[in-house]
Amino acid sequence: MSTLLERLQALDTMGRAGSRDTDSGKKLHAEFVRSGVKFAASPGKLEDVYYAAVGKLGDCVKPDARGRPVLQEGGVYHGCWLESTGTINAEILSRFCPDTAQSTFEQFAELRREDGLLPYKVTGNGPVFKQIQLVTPPARSAWNHYSMNGRNREFLLRMYESLAGFDGWLARYRNTRGTGCVEAFCTFDTGHDLSPRFWHVPDTPYMDDPKQYDPHSPILPLLAPDLTASAYCGREYLARMASELGLEEEAIAWKKKAGETLESLVAHCFSEDDGFFYDLDNNGRFNRIQSDVLLRVLACEVGDDRFFASSLERYLLNSRKFFSKYPFTSIAMDDPRFDPFTTYNTWGGAVNFLSLIRAPHAFEKHGRYVELTWVMQPIVSAISRMTRFGQCLSPWTGEEGYTEAYSPAILCMLDYIERMCGILPTPEGELWFTGLLPQTLDHGEKLADETAYSRIVDGSEYELHNTRELCSIYRDGRLLCRFPAGVRVVTDRFGSLVKLVGMSVRPLESALLWEDRELPFQVSGNEVLRLVGGQFEVESAPGVVLPTFA
């Protein structure tokens, strides 16, 4: 057994992270310890930053009105926002601290207004309903939490009823033009502070009423592709919830609504000329600003594999557009309105951590695992230099920007380390053991020659030890698997081998040792090999989309 693995086993998580004085912080950290998640790296700088993040996560929880710990946005953002804290942040947190995540989801359901509207944020003074501020579909985040954490039907029913009511509110009050799209009435509806997308548009709704837009605006209301995509995806997941709850007629109705919403999105907000999604103003004109709206729409499961590959080539992996040295920018870099500065809350160009934690779902849905590593590697390198865990990064230098103790930045570190060299449980009942190492990128500073990671799943303790050449999986202290670096081993939650995924652009021919069997394989980047009858068969092989530097 390696020295690093032994050090991992002896590691005192809270001794490294530092205990917190608040009851909520202590409860969250106790949950984190129960997950069995630990991380060790040699050299130790990345490991130090990891436990600094775990420690600061304890500062990002506060008790709700019922005394339950709920996640906060962190830093200068005193409260819990629907677009982030109450959806994608809590969804990631549910892999580490599921009780706190569930309380975070439930508070929005419990505080829903009588007309169906969810609060856009919850603070110490209670719920606030000024705008909608919607990005990640709440139904998908709630469904994924349900699927990973014991399938609590009482939780599912509570969330379903509340989110169905919220969907009804959107249909009644944010479809004034009768197009089937969801309309933006102000900047803050999408959380795009200082984005040129909303120049000359009020930050908040007319008279602070989320049912009204400024009647004096020459362009409002806007048919918003990201809001519409969120509604589409949310209706798909409401259909899953309804079916799970035995409400088959409702499930069919939700599927129908989702299909109609997708048709409206494409009909009104998609430009065939350049393959991008834009706001459509009330004069029937596209607001042709290329922003992270595209990534938001893709993360809402819009588009097939071919469209996603095209979007990678033309935009997301294009160094003239969004593929900066530290991806992704919030405005295309070839737009003269692009602003790279990070010293304030801005979506005018800077790399935002909310974009970074929303991105994996879009990539992985289309089997673009290798391409995602090209995003994660420079971001992990930038995170290794963080001390405050700010909201955004410089796209040029990776230096952290505005505010501190920002929960999306903290959760991004936990998420990216787990996807790159950790043990990740999925809503589909799989465990991902990924055989990569953080790369030496910034000024030649070495991040890791080896890593070790552990996690408890259904009472069994799993450990993963990665080196540059070889990776090993242990279950309850016994060697389960040994495999070459550059692949991901996928098992079920019982630890039975299911498939392999090629995680490097470099093709690999080797063998995997599983218990006492040697299983030879050949795998290319993004290729998925499924174990059938004791040997690997190709399940999918989409190839790799290369970055564009033209």
Side-chain angles (χ1 to χ4, degrees):
M1 185 174 291
S2 80
T3 302
L4 186 67
L5 196 57
E6 291 174 343
R7 182 158 70 79
L8 178 84
Q9 293 166 350
L11 193 148
D12 176 3
T13 300
M14 295 323 303
R16 291 296 306 277
S19 60
R20 271 16 190 198
D21 294 332
T22 65
D23 288 342
S24 295
K26 289 176 181 177
K27 288 178 181 178
L28 177 123
H29 280 151
E31 267 201 277
F32 192 92
V33 170
R34 289 197 298 272
S35 74
V37 171
K38 297 181 182 181
F39 172 67
S42 178
K45 179 180 179 180
L46 188 62
E47 178 184 330
D48 291 341
V49 178
Y50 183 90
Y51 286 103
V54 174
K56 286 181 180 294
L57 188 61
D59 298 329
C60 295
V61 286
K62 292 188 181 301
D64 68 0
R66 295 170 54 184
R68 301 170 300 183
V70 295
L71 186 63
Q72 305 291 291
E73 193 75 356
V76 300
Y77 303 104
H78 302 298
C80 181
W81 268 253
L82 179 64
E83 67 153 331
S84 48
T85 339
T87 49
I88 189 62
N89 300 14
E91 182 179 335
I92 295 172
L93 184 68
S94 71
R95 303 204 308 263
F96 304 92
C97 305
D99 292 345
T100 302
Q102 182 158 316
S103 298
T104 305
F105 289 128
E106 287 178 330
Q107 72 167 348
F108 283 94
E110 294 163 359
L111 295 171
R112 186 187 66 165
R113 211 162 67 176
E114 286 187 6
D115 63 358
L117 180 62
L118 294 181
Y120 87 88
K121 72 175 179 180
V122 181
T123 72
N125 295 321
V128 186
F129 296 93
K130 188 187 297 186
Q131 63 247 12
I132 59 173
Q133 206 145 338
L134 177 66
V135 182
T136 298
R140 188 181 74 202
S141 293
W143 172 264
N144 286 344
H145 170 78
Y146 165 80
S147 300
M148 281 193 297
N149 293 288
R151 304 182 84 87
N152 182 327
R153 291 177 68 86
E154 183 178 338
F155 165 79
L156 187 69
L157 179 60
R158 183 181 305 118
M159 295 306 299
Y160 173 74
E161 291 176 344
S162 180
L163 295 175
F166 178 50
D167 183 89
W169 189 94
L170 290 174
R172 284 192 300 276
Y173 299 110
R174 289 305 184 95
N175 183 29
T176 64
R177 292 163 61 180
T179 63
C181 293
V182 179
E183 296 162 356
F185 288 1
C186 63
T187 303
F188 291 169
D189 274 342
T190 68
H192 264 147
D193 303 53
L194 296 187
S195 171
R197 174 189 182 190
F198 286 104
W199 282 358
H200 311 295
V201 170
D203 281 344
T204 57
Y206 190 63
M207 305 294 289
D208 288 340
D209 181 354
K211 298 177 184 178
Q212 296 190 60
Y213 59 88
D214 184 353
H216 308 292
S217 169
I219 61 173
L220 292 179
L222 299 171
L223 306 186
D226 45 353
L227 298 180
T228 306
S230 183
Y232 153 71
C233 189
R235 288 162 182 166
E236 288 282 1
Y237 279 83
L238 284 168
R240 293 192 191 189
M241 289 180 169
S243 182
E244 181 83 357
L245 293 166
L247 307 172
E248 291 302 332
E249 289 187 5
E250 293 184 28
I252 292 169
W254 284 120
K255 290 290 288 185
K256 183 175 182 292
K257 287 180 182 178
E260 292 168 350
T261 307
L262 182 59
E263 290 177 2
S264 296
L265 170 67
V266 174
H268 296 286
C269 298
F270 182 65
S271 169
E272 292 280 358
D273 296 342
D274 54 9
F276 212 89
F277 289 90
Y278 300 103
D279 296 312
L280 190 74
D281 72 15
N282 67 6
N283 305 291
R285 304 175 307 172
F286 280 139
N287 181 5
R288 287 189 179 273
I289 296 176
Q290 293 181 345
S291 71
D292 69 297
V293 160
L294 175 64
L295 182 57
R296 293 179 173 200
V297 169
L298 294 170
C300 288
E301 305 182 13
V302 171
D304 58 15
D305 292 344
R306 183 177 178 181
F307 178 72
F308 189 77
S310 173
S311 297
L312 288 179
E313 184 174 5
R314 298 175 72 174
Y315 296 107
L316 297 182
L317 299 183
N318 186 331
S319 62
R320 286 183 181 270
K321 297 293 184 179
F322 301 97
F323 198 50
S324 49
K325 178 173 171 61
Y326 300 88
F328 297 104
T329 59
S330 45
I331 295 291
M333 289 175 282
D334 61 357
D335 189 314
R337 293 160 290 195
F338 170 74
D339 169 19
F341 294 104
T342 62
T343 55
Y344 38 85
N345 173 20
T346 174
W347 287 82
V351 177
N352 273 267
F353 273 103
L354 276 173
S355 290
L356 295 174
I357 60 176
R358 291 166 182 154
H361 186 82
F363 279 70
E364 290 165 354
K365 182 181 186 301
H366 298 282
R368 295 295 170 182
Y369 308 104
V370 173
E371 293 88 340
L372 180 60
T373 68
W374 300 338
V375 178
M376 294 194 298
Q377 289 286 8
I379 295 303
V380 168
S381 185
I383 288 173
S384 74
R385 295 183 273 123
M386 293 179 73
T387 58
R388 293 182 289 104
F389 296 95
Q391 171 182 331
C392 48
L393 296 173
S394 164
W396 309 145
T397 68
E399 294 298 318
E400 61 183 319
Y402 182 67
T403 200
E404 60 185 359
Y406 185 59
S407 65
I410 293 167
L411 291 164
C412 185
M413 177 162 205
L414 303 187
D415 183 60
Y416 278 23
I417 289 294
E418 189 158 89
R419 290 180 190 279
M420 186 184 299
C421 53
I423 304 164
L424 186 151
T426 75
E428 294 75 29
E430 295 178 339
L431 301 179
W432 292 359
F433 300 84
T434 306
L436 298 175
L437 288 176
Q439 292 177 352
T440 300
L441 292 178
D442 291 347
H443 310 292
E445 184 173 355
K446 186 181 293 182
L447 288 185
D449 285 322
E450 61 176 321
T451 61
Y453 196 95
S454 67
R455 173 181 275 281
I456 295 172
V457 180
D458 299 336
S460 292
E461 183 178 32
Y462 292 89
E463 297 165 321
L464 174 64
H465 177 229
N466 290 357
T467 68
R468 295 192 181 279
E469 301 297 330
L470 198 62
C471 307
S472 303
I473 302 171
Y474 298 86
R475 181 174 59 195
D476 295 327
R478 299 182 60 182
L479 180 66
L480 178 65
C481 177
R482 185 159 283 149
F483 62 99
V487 300
R488 171 177 287 159
V489 171
V490 179
T491 74
D492 61 19
R493 289 184 69 96
F494 301 103
S496 299
L497 181 61
V498 176
K499 57 190 176 184
L500 289 183
V501 181
M503 295 296 296
S504 170
V505 70
R506 174 178 60 93
L508 180 63
E509 181 175 0
S510 188
L512 174 149
L513 179 66
W514 184 265
E515 295 180 326
D516 59 351
R517 294 178 294 161
E518 187 173 272
L519 302 172
F521 66 87
Q522 291 179 314
V523 69
S524 299
N526 292 327
E527 188 172 15
V528 178
L529 306 179
R530 182 169 290 274
L531 187 66
V532 179
Q535 62 184 15
F536 290 110
E537 296 183 358
V538 176
E539 179 175 278
S540 61
V544 176
V545 177
L546 300 178
T548 301
F549 294 91

